[in-house]
Amino acid sequence: MQDITITVIDREGVAHALEAPTDMNLNLMEVFKMYELPVEGTCGGMAMCASCQCYVVSDHKLNEMGYDEEAMLSEAFYVEDNSRLGCQIPITPDLNGLEVKLAPES
């Protein structure tokens, strides 16, 4: 099993280094919840609520944004150019060192 490290900056500005397994088919929102970060994920990862919105701080190349994610972000609050939904980012080995910041709660 290969774990990667992801840095998450919470809404108070505190950085958390999280270990995330790459062999469990998890997404970023599930890792947030695993570490009890304040992310609701009310839709269960279906790109329908934007409660797991985060800003990608590092310059990692992420998977393309799908139609559902784009549509949800077009209606969400506090959207920036680097906004993504955590539930739409699968945890893969090439995300090692990823740095994200949680978006404000809407």
Side-chain angles (χ1 to χ4, degrees):
M1 170 169 84
Q2 183 190 0
D3 284 5
I4 61 170
T5 302
I6 295 171
T7 301
V8 181
I9 301 162
D10 67 22
R11 294 185 182 107
E12 281 74 55
V14 178
H16 304 267
L18 311 181
E19 294 289 310
T22 57
D23 62 348
M24 290 178 62
N25 205 20
L26 295 174
N27 62 49
L28 197 51
M29 176 204 69
E30 292 167 322
V31 173
F32 294 161
K33 291 173 83 72
M34 225 164 65
Y35 284 91
E36 298 180 0
L37 287 166
V39 170
E40 281 182 46
T42 32
C43 75
M46 306 298 290
M48 293 168 68
C49 74
S51 67
C52 65
Q53 182 191 169
C54 59
Y55 307 122
V56 179
V57 179
S58 56
D59 56 4
H60 283 71
K61 180 140 177 59
L62 300 177
N63 57 321
E64 283 294 309
M65 198 181 295
Y67 172 78
D68 291 341
E69 181 178 9
E70 237 172 88
M72 188 67 247
L73 284 172
S74 74
E75 299 171 19
F77 297 104
Y78 311 112
V79 174
E80 304 287 340
D81 290 342
N82 60 345
S83 287
R84 290 296 301 262
L85 298 180
C87 68
Q88 300 301 300
I89 301 175
I91 301 298
T92 57
D94 51 342
L95 289 189
N96 192 38
L98 178 72
E99 186 175 331
V100 296
K101 180 177 185 191
L102 296 181
E105 288 184 278
S106 29

